[in-house]
Amino acid sequence: MLGLRMPARDYDAIVVGASFGGLAVARQLRGHVLLLDRNEIGAVQTSACGTPLWVCEALGVTDSVLQVHESLSIRTPGRTVRYDLSAVPFCTFDYRAFCEGLLAQCRVRFLRTSVTGIQEGAVVTGEGRFTAPVIVDCSGWRRALTGGAEVPPGRRHHSFGLETHTSLQAEGLTFVLDRRLIPQGLGWIFPVGKGSLVGLGSYVGRSKLKPALERLLQDHGISASAYHGTYFPNRLLRPTVGRLFAVGDAAGQCLPLTAEGIRPALYFGGECGRVVQRILDGAVSLEAGLDAYRRVVARYRRPYRTLQLAQWIAAHTPTRWFALVTQLAATRPFLPRWWPRYGWFGRPERSGMPAAT
Ligand SMILES: Cc1cc2nc3c(=O)[nH]c(=O)nc-3n(C[C@H](O)[C@H](O)[C@H](O)COP(=O)(O)OP(=O)(O)OC[C@H]3O[C@@H](n4cnc5c(N)ncnc54)[C@H](O)[C@@H]3O)c2cc1C
């Protein structure tokens, strides 16, 4: 009876989570692919949606861009440092339009349902159990399939961010470093065309940020609309668990320090998707595919460690020292050296953010 109501169905691949990571995987896949998410695609935004402009261009979703940014300011109590980003401009984009643009490039079956785990090789959902030879977990920090009890959210492995849309018309992207506002964290103001997203992030996973965020809003004489916030990982986790692939926040791929998680989820998602397609084509075995994806991620361990160290310094040294470092980093010859290196991470020509197949 149970089997009739919740029949096992077979797919070539199942992708859990239809946000940045999941859509980046799915757009690489041909065949009978099931994409699962508990929400409608693009309906629940958890991010300020800031990323280099070239990302939207490379993925063919420039329609989603709300505003382009050629400067970034870092504000501390004593000074404001301005970075010229024109070598690699950033943008803020509309989450729904971005996700729908990617979905339009996918040939998959999308099903809205909650995934509760994996049992005897089958993905267990509110709509029944589904089986496939290849399964990819892109469910964000909750890691619906690969998490288990390994890394519960907490201070060691997760940051927490909370933000709200406001009417503030700001110029350029701004980060705010002020211990009185948020110890071991930072604030941001991201203009999004009409108004700005204003938020706070705690590097040590403190989630009760609303009173401090309200103080930041008061400082600017603005009020909040709805709040959204969540955890995000701040160190690499395992990219494969048993026979499962993990991408994006599910694999801890959000960059430490800058909390940029969109670009890594898209980049590693594209790489994972290409590997999975090779498995589906019979060009490599599942084991070889898992190994190939692990090797792709392993190439980035050092930069992740460097950013992790920088995050630790930002969280633990006096703000005025960190302000001096940021000031130095904004000057020549430093800025033209590090900014393009950082800004081009994941660019198609260099490291292969894959185009749709
Ligand atoms: C406040 C805030 C602001 C941020 N701003 C930026 C920014 O400006 N730029 C940037 O690069 N990064 C930013 N980040 C980080 C970035 O949002 C994440 O790193 C990024 O969203 C990770 O993408 P993902 O696809 O791995 O996971 P997610 O975007 O978290 O997507 C996971 C998907 O899985 C689905 N899901 C989860 N559990 C289940 C389940 N059990 N069953 C079915 N579906 C499930 C969810 O509904 C969701 O659609 C921000 C984070 C926060 C919290």
Side-chain angles (χ1 to χ4, degrees):
M1 204 45 207
L2 192 69
L4 282 178
R5 276 192 291 115
M6 299 198 299
R9 300 170 217 188
D10 287 313
Y11 288 85
D12 294 332
I14 297 174
V15 180
V16 176
S19 183
F20 304 109
L23 290 165
V25 174
R27 77 193 271 281
Q28 296 298 322
L29 302 179
R30 299 178 300 278
H32 198 35
V33 176
L34 180 63
L35 177 63
L36 301 168
D37 201 297
R38 60 185 174 181
N39 297 309
E40 283 305 333
I41 288 174
V44 181
Q45 176 173 344
T46 54
S47 161
C49 292
T51 202
L53 177 61
W54 66 257
V55 172
C56 298
E57 292 168 346
L59 294 171
V61 287
T62 28
D63 286 357
S64 66
V65 173
L66 295 171
Q67 193 167 338
V68 176
H69 308 281
E70 297 211 339
S71 74
L72 162 74
S73 298
I74 299 200
R75 244 167 52 194
T76 58
R79 72 185 84 205
T80 297
V81 177
R82 192 172 168 280
Y83 291 80
D84 176 3
L85 305 185
S86 57
V88 190
F90 255 56
C91 71
T92 35
F93 62 82
D94 180 82
Y95 179 65
R96 183 186 288 273
F98 188 97
C99 291
E100 286 179 352
L102 290 188
L103 181 67
Q105 301 168 21
C106 299
R107 282 156 284 175
V108 296
R109 177 186 173 214
F110 173 69
L111 180 64
R112 183 181 171 192
T113 186
S114 204
V115 172
T116 52
I118 188 155
Q119 273 177 13
E120 293 154 5
V123 176
V124 184
T125 81
E127 295 290 323
R129 293 164 170 246
F130 300 95
T131 56
V134 184
I135 299 171
V136 190
D137 186 353
C138 307
S139 62
W141 69 269
R142 285 190 177 80
R143 306 167 75 215
L145 298 183
T146 48
E150 196 191 336
V151 185
R155 297 184 164 209
R156 282 197 53 217
H157 296 277
H158 290 83
S159 303
F160 187 89
L162 182 72
E163 68 182 4
T164 182
H165 184 266
T166 72
S167 58
L168 185 67
Q169 291 297 332
E171 262 186 46
L173 304 168
T174 302
F175 283 115
V176 182
L177 283 171
D178 187 345
R179 288 279 151 78
R180 293 165 307 181
L181 190 64
I182 177 157
Q184 299 176 305
L186 82 177
W188 62 85
I189 300 169
F190 279 18
V192 289
K194 288 188 184 134
S196 302
L197 285 166
V198 180
L200 286 183
S202 165
Y203 287 136
V204 289
R206 285 204 188 98
S207 56
K208 294 190 179 19
L209 301 180
K210 203 167 154 192
L213 182 51
E214 281 171 349
R215 282 205 303 280
L216 178 61
L217 298 176
Q218 274 164 18
D219 288 349
H220 288 86
I222 46 175
S223 52
S225 55
Y227 290 92
H228 60 248
T230 192
Y231 289 97
F232 48 95
N234 57 35
R235 66 193 61 197
L236 282 176
L237 303 169
R238 291 164 63 191
T240 65
V241 176
R243 72 179 187 97
L244 307 175
F245 292 84
V247 167
D249 282 7
Q253 290 164 351
C254 186
L255 299 176
L257 183 69
T258 60
E260 234 202 291
I262 296 169
R263 198 162 32 137
L266 292 167
Y267 169 62
F268 290 114
E271 292 288 328
C272 178
R274 286 205 295 205
V275 168
V276 170
Q277 188 56 50
R278 284 175 58 73
I279 298 169
L280 302 186
D281 290 341
V284 292
S285 66
L286 176 61
E287 287 70 24
L290 289 162
D291 190 46
Y293 177 59
R294 277 194 297 270
R295 278 187 276 115
V296 169
V297 179
R299 289 210 302 265
Y300 292 90
R301 285 207 180 279
R302 190 180 285 179
Y304 269 86
R305 282 208 195 103
T306 305
L307 284 172
Q308 214 175 311
L309 177 66
Q311 174 173 310
W312 189 90
I313 293 169
H316 292 92
T317 55
T319 307
R320 61 178 187 285
W321 293 5
F322 194 69
L324 279 176
V325 176
T326 59
Q327 191 166 24
L328 195 65
T331 58
R332 287 179 174 277
F334 300 108
L335 185 67
R337 292 175 82 119
W338 72 263
W339 174 245
R341 268 184 88 165
Y342 176 83
W344 289 124
F345 157 67
R347 181 166 75 145
E349 304 92 285
R350 294 203 176 178
S351 42
M353 179 181 278
T357 47

